């Protein structure tokens, strides 16, 4: 699996497929920062913007290999494992983006004093993790090989990202809302909440399974 | 009695081979690949591409897969190689797989060598071993000058060489080739033929599709014919030019001059045989990897039992073809049977039923023989 991840990471880096998601994420994070917002709000925004960024990274990764190269890797390692490696590589790149976003917010936002900083940062990163999982799930289930037509995959990815950020049933939206209300109340730890976290993990596992199974079936 | 003496005289030669470098190659190759009621269709409402295919292929088999365009050859190969799951049934016993796809367009952001290094790692070849295997195969296929060139810039033939190199470098136990010869120059085709023969002699299974019926003519030990409705019929032997599926013996018949020589009671003839064989064995270790054991008195009921022993390639009564590494075990099993006499044991001097044994031998000599001799120096 390590060799597979290394191979996929090399494809991501060398193919420059990371550039568009990086620019998009950078713009989205930077544009929110009109004047100095409180750190908690900034972290929530940069976490939310991870959803489209990771969905696009996932879309890039699952279409990076030509079919023949994919078949060769599938014969060597199994088609499902190869697919999971591609998804995991996109998720890993999303983690890097998320850390970058958090660093930016630390520098640019109004930091709360003392121990509140650690709590705020921890809560913000936890929300970012939920958003990463949801973004990866959206990317996995809306793209190759689950859906195949390029137009359909792009439209469905955008739709899934919007739903993930605004619909009440989305773990990402729930996590963001949870911290949002915490902020508004001005009290309590700003954690994403147990239910959205667990739901995001389940969503990720099920969508990756669907994607891996589709890869194994369709070859 | 004479026959038994002949056998005793020859045994040390084989014992010497079994303790040699050949012992290494049988690891991982002993498995039989089984397709059990395999069916494949690309979607629940799509027609079956292959259907209800049950096949069992043992080590050391070279299988020609034939059928007209669209009959499901590529799909069958993909399912066998594990590129995709069957829609019905299952495939078991698959060893390490090398797969050469129909077309390999490159398109990855690597140089040829970088790509092959990644593939070596995926196959479990780490560090210097992977690098050596990659360089060796680039060299053998005549692609060493393009090792640093980006895959995107390579010609079709050069890309095909990269695809072949990635399949061969892990020494796969199952080698699946889907029209792998397309776009190759003559030298690379011959290298590929030799490499396949070498893998099969090492005990690997190889399945191949090629539209040229002369491809590996005489070397295939089995043919899978797809009928266009997704069904497969199996024919022993290799008669690619005809649709006739009558089985052909895979073992040399009694008319083979080799066999006749063994039945000669002249002890000098026997001695010449041994000498010839030993020189082959130690100068070119790639050659004598298949051993033919000739037996008398083997009952029809025991044929299947003997055929199921590890390393046995075929068993048609008077002749049992067995991988060299397994010959001792198979001999022991044969001698344990009542009324079974071992008439002779000898190396197979060429692929069975081949029309051009000289060419095959030349291929092998040019192939591993040269490498082995170089290593011995």
């Amino acid at each position: 699996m390590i060799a597979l991840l290394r191979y996929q990471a090399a494809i991501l880096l060398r193919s420059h497929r990371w550039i568009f998601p990086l620019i998009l994420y950078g713009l989205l994070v930077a544009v929110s920062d009109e004047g100095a917002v409180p750190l908690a709000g900034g972290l929530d925004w940069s976490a939310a913007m991870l959803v489209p960024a990771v969905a696009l990274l996932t879309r890039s990764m699952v279409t990076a290999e030509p079919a023949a190269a994919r078949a060769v890797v599938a014969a060597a390692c199994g088609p499902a494992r190869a697919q999971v490696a591609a998804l995991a590589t996109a998720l890993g790149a999303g983690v890097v983006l998320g850390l970058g976003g958090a660093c930016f917010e630390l520098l640019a936002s109004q930091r709360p004093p003392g121990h509140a900083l650690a709590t705020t940062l921890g809560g913000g990163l936890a929300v970012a993790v939920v958003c990463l999982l949801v973004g990866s799930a959206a990317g996995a289930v809306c793209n190759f090989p689950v859906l195949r037509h390029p137009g359909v995959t792009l439209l469905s990815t955008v739709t899934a990202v919007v739903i993930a950020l605004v619909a009440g049933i989305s773990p990402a939206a729930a996590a963001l809302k949870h911290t949002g209300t915490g902020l508004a109340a001005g009290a309590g730890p700003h954690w994403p909440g147990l239910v959205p976290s667990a739901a995001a993990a389940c969503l990720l596992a099920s969508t990756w399974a669907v994607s891996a199974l589709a890869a194994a079936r369709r070859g | 009695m004479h026959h038994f003496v002949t056998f005793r005289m020859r045994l040390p030669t084989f014992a010497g081979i079994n303790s040699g470098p050949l012992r290494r190659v049988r690891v991982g190759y002993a498995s039989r690949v089984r397709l059990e009621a395999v069916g494949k269709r690309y979607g629940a409402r799509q027609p079956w591409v292959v259907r209800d295919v049950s096949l069992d292929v043992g080590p050391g088999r070279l299988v020609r897969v034939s059928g007209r365009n669209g009959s499901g050859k590529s799909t069958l190969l993909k399912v066998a190689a594990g590129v995709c799951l069957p829609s019905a049934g299952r495939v078991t016993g698959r060893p390490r797989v090398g797969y050469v796809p129909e077309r390999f367009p490159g398109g990855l952001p690597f140089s040829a060598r970088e790509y092959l290094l990644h593939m070596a790692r995926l196959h479990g070849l780490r560090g210097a071993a992977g690098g050596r295997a990659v360089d060796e195969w680039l060299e053998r296929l005549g692609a060493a000058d393009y090792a640093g060139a980006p895959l995107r810039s390579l010609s079709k033939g050069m890309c095909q060489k990269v695809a072949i190199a990635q399949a061969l470098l892990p020494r796969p136990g199952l080698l699946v080739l889907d029209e792998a010869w397309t776009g190759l120059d003559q030298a690379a085709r011959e290298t590929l033929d030799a490499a396949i023969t070498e893998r099969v002699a090492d005990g690997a299974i190889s399945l191949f599709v090629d539209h040229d019926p002369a491809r590996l003519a005489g070397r295939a030990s089995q043919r899978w014919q797809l009928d266009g409705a997704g069904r497969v019929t199996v024919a022993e032997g290799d008669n690619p030019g005809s649709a006739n599926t009558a089985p052909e013996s895979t073992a040399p018949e009694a008319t083979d001059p080799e066999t006749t020589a063994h039945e000669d009671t002249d002890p000098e003839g026997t001695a010449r045989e041994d000498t010839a064989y030993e020189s082959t064995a130690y100068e070119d270790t790639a050659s004598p990897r298949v051993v033919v054991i000739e037996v008398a008195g083997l009952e029809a009921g025991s044929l299947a039992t003997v055929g199921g022993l590890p390393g046995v390639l075929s068993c048609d009564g008077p002749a049992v073809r067995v991988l060299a590494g397994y010959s001792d075990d198979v001999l022991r099993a044969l001698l344990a049977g009542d009324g079974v006499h071992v008439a002779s044991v000898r190396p197979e001097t060429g692929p069975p039923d081949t029309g051009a044994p000289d060419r095959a031998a030349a291929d092998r000599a040019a192939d591993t023989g040269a490498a082995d001799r170089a290593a011995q120096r």
Side-chain angles (χ1 to χ4, degrees):
Chain A
M1 196 67 192
I2 290 168
L4 259 177
L5 290 171
R6 194 171 160 182
Y7 167 71
Q8 294 284 359
I11 291 178
L12 177 61
L13 288 176
R14 300 284 291 273
S15 68
H16 305 296
R17 285 172 175 253
W18 49 272
I19 291 179
F20 179 61
L22 176 72
I23 291 175
L24 179 82
Y25 183 66
L27 283 176
L28 287 171
V29 169
V31 84
S32 72
D33 208 47
E34 321 159 335
V37 294
L39 179 61
L43 283 175
D44 277 358
W45 176 260
S46 65
M49 291 308 108
L50 280 174
V51 177
V54 177
L56 278 177
L57 272 170
T58 304
R59 177 181 163 80
S60 292
M61 279 314 294
V62 296
T63 54
E65 279 177 287
R70 171 188 302 278
V72 160
V73 172
C77 308
R81 285 177 73 207
Q83 182 70 9
V84 167
L87 296 172
T89 304
L91 185 61
V95 170
V96 174
L97 282 187
L99 288 174
C103 289
F104 174 81
E105 297 297 344
L106 267 179
L107 295 173
S109 306
Q110 287 177 354
R111 274 178 268 181
H115 70 279
L117 176 64
T119 316
T120 309
L121 193 58
L125 289 178
V127 174
V129 169
V130 172
C131 290
L132 277 173
L133 301 187
V134 172
S136 175
V141 84
C142 294
N143 286 290
F144 184 90
V146 182
L147 301 176
R148 297 204 143 190
H149 193 281
V152 173
T153 58
L154 186 60
L155 266 179
S156 59
T157 306
V158 171
T159 311
V161 165
V162 171
I163 290 173
L165 286 175
V166 301
I169 54 162
S170 156
L176 290 163
K177 191 178 167 198
H178 199 88
T179 56
T181 50
L183 271 182
H190 314 315
W191 297 96
L194 197 61
V195 175
S197 305
C202 291
L203 191 65
L204 183 88
S206 54
T207 51
W208 280 26
V210 167
S211 179
L213 192 65
R217 280 199 174 151
R218 297 196 179 183
Chain B
M1 193 58 211
H2 157 74
H3 293 318
F4 190 71
V5 170
T6 308
F7 157 64
R8 287 287 201 139
M9 283 171 66
R10 284 156 186 277
L11 188 59
T13 315
F14 287 97
I17 286 170
N18 288 348
S19 58
L22 288 177
R23 186 172 290 279
R24 170 171 55 89
V25 303
R26 75 190 198 196
V27 177
Y29 294 160
S31 61
R32 302 180 75 85
V33 174
R34 289 192 168 88
L35 280 72
E36 297 170 12
V38 163
K40 182 67 187 175
R41 56 180 172 179
Y42 296 98
R45 271 170 282 175
Q46 301 294 317
W48 289 94
V49 183
V50 291
R51 176 160 215 186
D52 199 23
V53 175
S54 291
L55 295 165
D56 181 347
V57 50
R61 289 287 208 158
L62 176 59
V63 180
R64 178 191 305 276
V65 181
S66 50
R68 58 173 176 71
N69 288 345
S71 60
K73 300 187 294 293
S74 290
T75 296
L76 182 63
L77 289 194
K78 279 185 185 174
V79 171
V83 172
C84 58
L85 289 177
S87 314
R90 60 181 190 152
V91 183
T92 59
R94 205 188 278 118
R96 175 167 290 159
V97 182
Y99 173 70
V100 183
E102 209 172 347
R103 281 179 296 270
F104 189 79
L108 285 168
F110 302 122
S111 74
R113 190 168 191 279
E114 285 167 339
Y115 174 69
L116 290 174
L117 282 173
H118 277 294
M119 293 309 299
R121 272 186 228 109
L122 290 184
H123 281 293
L125 287 172
R126 291 183 208 293
R132 274 198 304 274
V134 168
D135 292 335
E136 181 200 329
W137 280 105
L138 284 172
E139 183 71 39
R140 275 182 75 171
L141 289 162
D145 291 346
Y146 295 84
L151 282 181
R152 291 185 206 283
S153 73
L154 294 182
S155 68
K156 180 186 174 191
M158 213 41 87
C159 278
Q160 195 62 25
K161 289 180 183 184
V162 172
I164 290 163
Q166 66 78 27
L168 287 168
L169 61 87
R171 301 169 67 81
L174 173 61
L175 180 60
V176 180
L177 304 119
D178 195 349
E179 297 183 31
W181 292 264
T182 314
L184 292 184
D185 54 42
Q186 188 57 37
R189 285 181 186 194
E190 283 167 12
T191 306
L192 177 57
D193 288 0
I196 294 166
T197 310
E198 176 194 335
R199 297 296 330 124
V200 170
D202 269 0
I205 298 167
S206 182
L207 315 179
F208 75 97
V209 167
D210 199 73
H211 282 299
D212 181 359
R215 181 79 52 222
L216 295 170
R219 301 195 206 179
S221 57
Q222 217 174 52
R223 187 162 62 92
W224 297 354
Q225 173 80 39
L226 281 130
D227 65 357
R231 314 273 180 182
V232 177
T233 47
V234 177
E236 291 297 325
D238 193 17
N239 51 346
S242 114
N244 177 19
T245 56
E248 257 179 45
S249 168
T250 58
E253 299 297 333
T255 52
D256 188 329
E258 282 287 324
T259 315
T260 318
H262 282 290
E263 285 168 2
D264 192 343
T265 50
D266 175 17
E268 279 183 30
T270 308
R272 276 202 306 274
E273 282 286 318
D274 273 344
T275 317
Y277 176 45
E278 278 179 2
S279 68
T280 319
Y282 293 110
E283 278 183 30
D284 177 5
T285 54
S287 263
R289 281 171 177 162
V290 176
V291 174
V292 178
I293 305 172
E294 297 189 44
V295 291
L298 200 59
E299 288 168 23
S302 327
L303 286 178
T305 319
V306 175
L309 288 173
V312 175
L313 306 179
S314 68
C315 170
D316 66 350
V320 182
R321 291 174 67 246
V322 56
L323 293 176
Y326 292 86
S327 58
D328 282 357
D329 297 346
V330 173
L331 279 169
R332 264 193 287 280
L334 284 170
L335 291 170
D338 279 341
V340 178
H341 297 286
V342 175
S344 76
V345 184
R346 61 183 175 82
E348 188 169 61
T349 49
D353 297 338
T354 175
D358 291 342
R359 186 182 149 207
D363 274 346
R364 281 202 301 275
D367 180 21
T368 51
D372 288 348
R373 280 193 292 278
Q376 281 166 10
R377 280 185 196 128

